[in-house]
Amino acid sequence: MSEPIVLVKKHAPLGTIILNRPEKRNALSKVMIEELEQALRDLHGEKSVRAIVITGAGSAFCSGLDLAEMHAAVGEDDAFERWREDVVRLRDLFEQILRFPKPIIAAVNGPAVAGGAGLVLAADFAIASPEATFGFPEPKRGVISGICAPLLTFRVGGAHAARMLMMAETISAERAAAIGIFQEIQPHEKLWARGMEIAKEIALSADEAIQLTKRMLNETIGETLETFLSAGAAASATSRTTEAAAEGMKAFLEKRDPKWPGS
Protein backbone atom coordinates (compact mmCIF):
# COMPACT_ATOMS: atom_id res chain seq x y z
CA MET A 1 0.00 0.00 0.00
CA SER A 2 1.16 3.54 -0.75
CA GLU A 3 1.81 5.97 2.09
CA PRO A 4 -0.90 8.45 3.10
CA ILE A 5 -0.55 11.87 1.46
CA VAL A 6 -0.68 13.48 4.92
CA LEU A 7 1.37 11.89 7.69
CA VAL A 8 0.71 12.60 11.37
CA LYS A 9 3.22 11.89 14.13
CA LYS A 10 3.08 12.57 17.87
CA HIS A 11 6.12 13.13 20.06
CA ALA A 12 4.68 15.03 23.00
CA PRO A 13 4.60 17.94 23.43
CA LEU A 14 4.93 18.24 19.62
CA GLY A 15 2.61 16.99 16.92
CA THR A 16 3.96 16.80 13.36
CA ILE A 17 1.98 16.98 10.12
CA ILE A 18 3.89 16.10 6.95
CA LEU A 19 2.58 16.93 3.49
CA ASN A 20 3.51 13.77 1.65
CA ARG A 21 3.24 14.20 -2.13
CA PRO A 22 6.93 14.80 -2.86
CA GLU A 23 6.55 13.76 -6.50
CA LYS A 24 4.03 16.63 -6.91
CA ARG A 25 6.02 19.06 -4.74
CA ASN A 26 3.29 18.58 -2.11
CA ALA A 27 0.65 20.32 -4.22
CA LEU A 28 -2.64 20.71 -2.40
CA SER A 29 -5.15 18.41 -4.05
CA LYS A 30 -8.74 18.27 -2.81
CA VAL A 31 -7.98 15.03 -0.99
CA MET A 32 -4.83 16.42 0.62
CA ILE A 33 -6.72 19.44 1.97
CA GLU A 34 -9.38 17.16 3.44
CA GLU A 35 -6.73 14.98 5.08
CA LEU A 36 -4.87 18.01 6.39
CA GLU A 37 -8.09 19.29 7.97
CA GLN A 38 -8.65 15.87 9.54
CA ALA A 39 -5.08 15.77 10.86
CA LEU A 40 -5.66 19.09 12.61
CA ARG A 41 -8.91 17.82 14.12
CA ASP A 42 -7.13 14.70 15.37
CA LEU A 43 -4.32 16.68 17.01
CA HIS A 44 -6.80 19.16 18.48
CA GLY A 45 -7.98 16.45 20.86
CA GLU A 46 -4.51 15.27 21.89
CA LYS A 47 -3.98 16.95 25.28
CA SER A 48 -0.30 15.98 25.38
CA VAL A 49 0.33 17.87 22.13
CA ARG A 50 0.97 21.56 22.86
CA ALA A 51 2.19 22.73 19.45
CA ILE A 52 2.07 21.54 15.84
CA VAL A 53 4.76 21.53 13.15
CA ILE A 54 3.65 21.43 9.52
CA THR A 55 6.37 20.50 7.03
CA GLY A 56 6.79 18.89 3.62
CA ALA A 57 8.28 15.61 2.44
CA GLY A 58 11.05 15.75 -0.12
CA SER A 59 12.63 18.94 -1.41
CA ALA A 60 9.54 21.21 -1.34
CA PHE A 61 7.31 22.52 1.39
CA CYS A 62 4.21 23.08 -0.77
CA SER A 63 3.68 24.32 -4.33
CA GLY A 64 0.09 25.50 -3.76
CA LEU A 65 -3.15 24.22 -5.20
CA ASP A 66 -2.85 21.34 -7.67
CA LEU A 67 -2.88 23.10 -11.05
CA ALA A 68 -3.66 19.86 -12.89
CA GLU A 69 -6.95 19.65 -10.96
CA MET A 70 -7.66 23.31 -11.68
CA HIS A 71 -6.95 22.94 -15.39
CA ALA A 72 -9.18 19.88 -15.62
CA ALA A 73 -12.21 22.11 -15.02
CA VAL A 74 -11.45 24.43 -17.98
CA GLY A 75 -14.28 24.27 -20.51
CA GLU A 76 -16.66 22.39 -18.22
CA ASP A 77 -20.17 23.78 -17.69
CA ASP A 78 -19.66 23.90 -13.92
CA ALA A 79 -16.08 25.25 -14.07
CA PHE A 80 -16.75 28.39 -12.04
CA GLU A 81 -18.53 26.44 -9.32
CA ARG A 82 -15.68 23.95 -9.12
CA TRP A 83 -13.09 26.75 -8.91
CA ARG A 84 -15.18 28.50 -6.28
CA GLU A 85 -15.29 25.29 -4.23
CA ASP A 86 -11.50 24.96 -4.53
CA VAL A 87 -10.75 28.43 -3.20
CA VAL A 88 -13.42 28.22 -0.49
CA ARG A 89 -11.90 24.92 0.64
CA LEU A 90 -8.46 26.56 0.85
CA ARG A 91 -9.91 29.56 2.69
CA ASP A 92 -11.57 27.23 5.18
CA LEU A 93 -8.24 25.46 5.78
CA PHE A 94 -6.50 28.78 6.49
CA GLU A 95 -9.29 29.79 8.87
CA GLN A 96 -9.02 26.43 10.66
CA ILE A 97 -5.30 27.06 11.18
CA LEU A 98 -5.90 30.61 12.38
CA ARG A 99 -8.55 29.45 14.87
CA PHE A 100 -6.66 26.33 15.98
CA PRO A 101 -6.12 26.68 19.74
CA LYS A 102 -2.54 25.41 19.72
CA PRO A 103 0.43 27.23 18.17
CA ILE A 104 1.26 26.05 14.66
CA ILE A 105 4.82 26.26 13.35
CA ALA A 106 5.54 26.06 9.63
CA ALA A 107 8.87 24.26 9.18
CA VAL A 108 9.63 25.35 5.64
CA ASN A 109 12.03 22.81 4.18
CA GLY A 110 11.94 24.05 0.57
CA PRO A 111 9.88 26.17 -1.82
CA ALA A 112 6.60 27.49 -0.38
CA VAL A 113 4.70 29.21 -3.16
CA ALA A 114 1.13 30.29 -3.92
CA GLY A 115 -1.22 28.42 -1.57
CA GLY A 116 1.83 26.83 0.05
CA ALA A 117 3.06 30.31 0.97
CA GLY A 118 -0.43 30.91 2.37
CA LEU A 119 -0.01 27.90 4.66
CA VAL A 120 3.15 29.52 6.04
CA LEU A 121 1.34 32.80 6.62
CA ALA A 122 -1.62 31.15 8.34
CA ALA A 123 0.75 29.46 10.81
CA ASP A 124 1.65 31.36 13.96
CA PHE A 125 5.32 31.48 13.08
CA ALA A 126 7.73 29.95 10.64
CA ILE A 127 11.20 28.48 10.70
CA ALA A 128 12.96 27.66 7.46
CA SER A 129 15.98 25.97 5.97
CA PRO A 130 18.38 27.98 3.78
CA GLU A 131 16.93 26.12 0.77
CA ALA A 132 13.44 27.52 1.40
CA THR A 133 11.93 30.04 -0.99
CA PHE A 134 8.68 31.95 -0.71
CA GLY A 135 6.48 33.65 -3.26
CA PHE A 136 3.31 34.24 -5.23
CA PRO A 137 3.76 33.39 -8.93
CA GLU A 138 0.00 33.41 -9.65
CA PRO A 139 -0.03 36.47 -11.97
CA LYS A 140 2.48 34.67 -14.19
CA ARG A 141 -0.16 31.95 -14.48
CA GLY A 142 -2.96 34.40 -15.26
CA VAL A 143 -4.65 34.34 -11.85
CA ILE A 144 -4.37 36.21 -8.55
CA SER A 145 -3.43 35.30 -5.00
CA GLY A 146 -6.62 36.61 -3.45
CA ILE A 147 -6.77 34.35 -0.41
CA CYS A 148 -3.13 34.82 0.55
CA ALA A 149 -3.07 38.59 0.08
CA PRO A 150 -4.82 39.43 3.39
CA LEU A 151 -2.53 37.08 5.31
CA LEU A 152 0.58 38.51 3.67
CA THR A 153 -0.51 42.07 4.46
CA PHE A 154 -1.33 41.06 8.06
CA ARG A 155 2.12 39.55 8.56
CA VAL A 156 4.44 41.98 6.74
CA GLY A 157 2.46 45.14 5.86
CA GLY A 158 1.11 46.68 2.68
CA ALA A 159 4.34 47.79 1.03
CA HIS A 160 6.03 44.37 1.13
CA ALA A 161 2.74 42.71 0.14
CA ALA A 162 2.22 44.98 -2.86
CA ARG A 163 5.71 44.33 -4.16
CA MET A 164 5.50 40.55 -3.77
CA LEU A 165 1.99 40.19 -5.20
CA MET A 166 2.33 42.59 -8.15
CA MET A 167 5.83 41.51 -9.16
CA ALA A 168 4.93 37.83 -8.68
CA GLU A 169 8.17 37.57 -6.72
CA THR A 170 9.71 34.46 -5.27
CA ILE A 171 12.27 35.39 -2.63
CA SER A 172 15.07 33.61 -0.78
CA ALA A 173 14.91 32.39 2.80
CA GLU A 174 17.19 35.24 3.83
CA ARG A 175 14.95 37.87 2.23
CA ALA A 176 11.83 36.27 3.71
CA ALA A 177 13.43 36.37 7.15
CA ALA A 178 14.44 40.02 6.69
CA ILE A 179 10.82 41.11 6.12
CA GLY A 180 9.43 38.95 8.92
CA ILE A 181 7.92 35.97 7.12
CA PHE A 182 10.42 33.51 8.59
CA GLN A 183 11.47 34.06 12.19
CA GLU A 184 14.47 31.73 12.09
CA ILE A 185 16.68 29.99 9.55
CA GLN A 186 17.97 26.60 10.62
CA PRO A 187 19.90 23.87 8.79
CA HIS A 188 17.51 21.52 7.03
CA GLU A 189 18.40 18.60 9.28
CA LYS A 190 17.66 20.64 12.42
CA LEU A 191 14.22 21.99 11.49
CA TRP A 192 12.19 19.32 13.29
CA ALA A 193 14.46 19.42 16.36
CA ARG A 194 14.03 23.18 16.54
CA GLY A 195 10.27 22.68 16.31
CA MET A 196 10.49 20.34 19.28
CA GLU A 197 12.47 22.93 21.25
CA ILE A 198 9.81 25.54 20.54
CA ALA A 199 7.02 23.13 21.59
CA LYS A 200 8.81 22.42 24.87
CA GLU A 201 9.16 26.15 25.53
CA ILE A 202 5.45 26.65 24.82
CA ALA A 203 4.59 23.75 27.17
CA LEU A 204 6.09 25.71 30.07
CA SER A 205 3.22 28.19 29.81
CA ALA A 206 -0.41 27.69 30.80
CA ASP A 207 -2.44 26.13 28.01
CA GLU A 208 -5.30 28.59 28.54
CA ALA A 209 -2.92 31.55 28.35
CA ILE A 210 -1.50 30.39 25.02
CA GLN A 211 -4.99 29.82 23.58
CA LEU A 212 -6.18 33.26 24.67
CA THR A 213 -3.04 34.87 23.26
CA LYS A 214 -3.61 33.26 19.87
CA ARG A 215 -7.26 34.34 19.88
CA MET A 216 -6.26 37.89 20.77
CA LEU A 217 -3.78 38.04 17.88
CA ASN A 218 -5.91 36.43 15.18
CA GLU A 219 -9.46 37.35 16.19
CA THR A 220 -9.00 40.73 17.87
CA ILE A 221 -5.98 42.40 16.30
CA GLY A 222 -6.70 40.49 13.08
CA GLU A 223 -10.47 40.88 13.36
CA THR A 224 -10.97 41.67 9.65
CA LEU A 225 -8.98 38.67 8.41
CA GLU A 226 -11.97 36.36 7.86
CA THR A 227 -13.86 39.03 5.92
CA PHE A 228 -10.86 39.71 3.72
CA LEU A 229 -10.21 35.99 3.22
CA SER A 230 -13.78 35.53 1.94
CA ALA A 231 -13.44 38.51 -0.40
CA GLY A 232 -10.10 37.14 -1.60
CA ALA A 233 -11.63 33.73 -2.27
CA ALA A 234 -14.31 35.33 -4.47
CA ALA A 235 -11.69 37.35 -6.36
CA SER A 236 -9.51 34.26 -6.86
CA ALA A 237 -12.40 32.23 -8.24
CA THR A 238 -13.35 35.04 -10.65
CA SER A 239 -9.76 35.39 -11.87
CA ARG A 240 -9.78 31.76 -12.94
CA THR A 241 -12.62 32.37 -15.43
CA THR A 242 -10.50 34.63 -17.66
CA GLU A 243 -8.78 33.79 -20.93
CA ALA A 244 -5.50 34.71 -19.26
CA ALA A 245 -6.05 32.08 -16.59
CA ALA A 246 -6.78 29.36 -19.15
CA GLU A 247 -3.62 30.26 -21.08
CA GLY A 248 -1.50 30.64 -17.95
CA MET A 249 -2.44 27.26 -16.52
CA LYS A 250 -2.04 25.55 -19.89
CA ALA A 251 1.38 27.12 -20.42
CA PHE A 252 2.51 26.09 -16.95
CA LEU A 253 1.47 22.48 -17.48
CA GLU A 254 3.10 22.47 -20.93
CA LYS A 255 6.28 24.04 -19.47
CA ARG A 256 6.32 27.02 -21.87
CA ASP A 257 5.97 30.77 -21.70
CA PRO A 258 2.35 31.99 -21.79
CA LYS A 259 0.97 33.97 -24.73
CA TRP A 260 -1.31 36.46 -23.02
CA PRO A 261 -4.53 37.52 -24.80
CA GLY A 262 -4.14 40.87 -26.54
CA SER A 263 -0.35 40.93 -26.34
Side-chain angles (χ1 to χ4, degrees), residues 4-11 14-20 26 28 32-44 49 51-57 60-61 93 96-97 100 102-109 119 192:
I5 58 175
V6 173
L7 301 174
V8 181
K9 300 180 180 181
K10 289 172 283 186
H11 300 88
L14 183 68
T16 304
I17 296 174
I18 303 171
L19 308 179
N20 190 38
N26 299 318
L28 294 166
M32 176 177 266
I33 291 175
E34 290 171 0
E35 293 195 10
L36 183 50
E37 290 171 334
Q38 185 59 54
L40 288 167
R41 287 192 291 268
D42 291 343
L43 290 173
H44 183 288
V49 171
I52 312 294
V53 158
I54 298 178
T55 193
F61 177 76
L93 173 61
Q96 183 182 8
I97 292 171
F100 197 78
K102 304 173 185 183
I104 293 180
I105 307 153
V108 188
N109 56 297
L119 273 180
W192 185 86

Side-chain angles (χ1 to χ4, degrees), residues 68-84:
E69 285 190 350
M70 288 170 52
H71 186 66
V74 174
E76 298 293 331
D77 292 340
D78 62 345
F80 178 77
E81 184 59 28
R82 288 165 63 179
W83 288 327
R84 189 191 70 81

